[in-house]
C-alpha cells in the first residue's frame, strides 16, 4: 500500500472516531437537557398543586363546620379529573396511613424522606415530590406523582 493510501485511511479513521465521540457527547447533553426540562416542569407543577391544596385545606374550616379526615377527599376531589388526564396524581396521608389518593390503582407510593425521587411501579416510571402540610387534623404528607414515561430511560 502506498503512503498516500495509508495517510488517507489514517485520516479517515481519525475523523470517524472523532465524529462518533462528538455524536455520543451531543446525545448525552441532549438527554440531560430533556430530563432537566421534564423535571423542572414537574417541580413547578408540583409547587402549584401544593400551594393550591395548602390554601384549600387551610381554608377548610370555612367550608365545613368540622374538618375531618373523612371530608378530606371531598376537599381534594377537584384535582382528580384534571390531573389524571395529565398522568399526574396526588396522594395525601400521614406517616401511618394513606387518607386520599387520585392514583387509579391501589398502589401506595412510599412517602419520601426529603427530596424528590424516582420510582418504577407497574412498568411505569414516576417522579415523586413530597410536601408536609400542617392542618387542623394534624401533619399531612402530600405526595405529587408524575408519570415520566415520556422521558427516554437512559440505558
Amino acid at each position: 500500500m502506498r503512503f498516500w493510501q495509508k495517510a488517507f485511511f489514517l485520516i479517515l479513521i481519525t475523523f470517524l472516531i472523532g465524529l462518533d465521540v462528538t455524536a455520543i457527547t451531543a446525545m448525552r447533553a441532549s438527554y440531560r437537557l430533556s430530563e432537566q426540562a421534564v423535571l423542572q416542569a414537574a417541580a413547578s407543577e408540583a409547587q402549584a398543586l401544593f400551594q393550591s391544596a395548602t390554601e384549600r385545606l387551610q381554608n377548610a374550616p370555612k367550608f365545613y363546620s368540622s374538618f375531618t379526615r373523612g371530608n378530606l377527599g371531598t376537599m381534594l376531589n377537584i384535582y382528580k379529573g384534571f390531573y389524571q388526564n395529565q398522568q399526574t396524581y396526588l396522594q395525601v396521608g400521614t406517616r401511618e396511613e394513606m387518607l386520599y389518593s387520585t392514583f387509579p390503582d391501589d398502589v401506595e407510593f412510599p412517602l419520601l424522606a426529603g427530596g424528590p425521587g424516582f420510582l418504577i411501579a407497574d412498568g411505569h416510571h414516576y417522579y415523586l415530590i413530597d410536601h408536609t402540610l400542617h392542618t387542623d387534623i394534624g401533619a399531612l404528607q402530600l405526595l405529587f406523582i408524575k408519570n415520566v414515561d415520556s422521558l427516554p430511560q437512559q440505558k
Side-chain angles (χ1 to χ4, degrees), residues 97-154:
E97 66 177 323
M98 182 174 45
L99 302 173
Y100 176 77
S101 176
T102 62
F103 199 75
D105 301 327
D106 293 333
V107 176
E108 279 193 47
F109 291 93
L111 293 173
L112 306 172
F118 288 95
L119 184 73
I120 299 174
D122 295 333
H124 296 287
H125 295 81
Y126 296 99
Y127 184 58
L128 294 87
I129 303 172
D130 71 345
H131 178 74
T132 303
L133 172 65
H134 299 283
T135 64
D136 294 342
I137 59 173
L140 297 175
Q141 292 296 120
L142 280 70
L143 184 62
F144 174 85
I145 306 159
K146 177 73 174 173
N147 184 317
V148 290
D149 282 340
S150 62
L151 184 66
Q153 303 307 314
Q154 193 171 26

Side-chain angles (χ1 to χ4, degrees), residues 1-14:
M1 202 183 273
R2 293 189 173 166
F3 175 75
W4 71 267
Q5 291 172 327
K6 290 178 186 177
F8 172 76
F9 284 122
L10 181 63
I11 291 170
L12 180 65
I13 290 170
T14 304

Side-chain angles (χ1 to χ4, degrees), residues 52-83:
S52 175
T54 299
E55 275 183 36
R56 191 157 179 79
L57 292 175
Q58 287 176 341
N59 290 327
K62 294 178 185 175
F63 302 109
Y64 295 96
S65 56
S66 62
F67 178 53
T68 63
R69 292 178 179 196
N71 52 24
L72 177 70
T74 307
M75 293 288 298
L76 297 174
N77 248 354
I78 62 164
Y79 303 111
K80 188 172 187 171
F82 176 74
Y83 281 107

Side-chain angles (χ1 to χ4, degrees), residues 18-70:
L19 188 65
D20 288 345
V21 169
T22 303
I24 290 170
T25 304
M27 285 189 302
R28 285 187 179 174
S30 174
Y31 175 79
R32 278 193 299 273
L33 288 173
S34 174
E35 180 183 46
Q36 242 179 5
V38 168
L39 299 184
Q40 282 177 350
S44 62
E45 193 174 347
Q47 185 61 34
L49 178 62
F50 291 151
Q51 190 173 10
S52 175
T54 299
E55 275 183 36
R56 191 157 179 79
L57 292 175
Q58 287 176 341
N59 290 327
K62 294 178 185 175
F63 302 109
Y64 295 96
S65 56
S66 62
F67 178 53
T68 63
R69 292 178 179 196

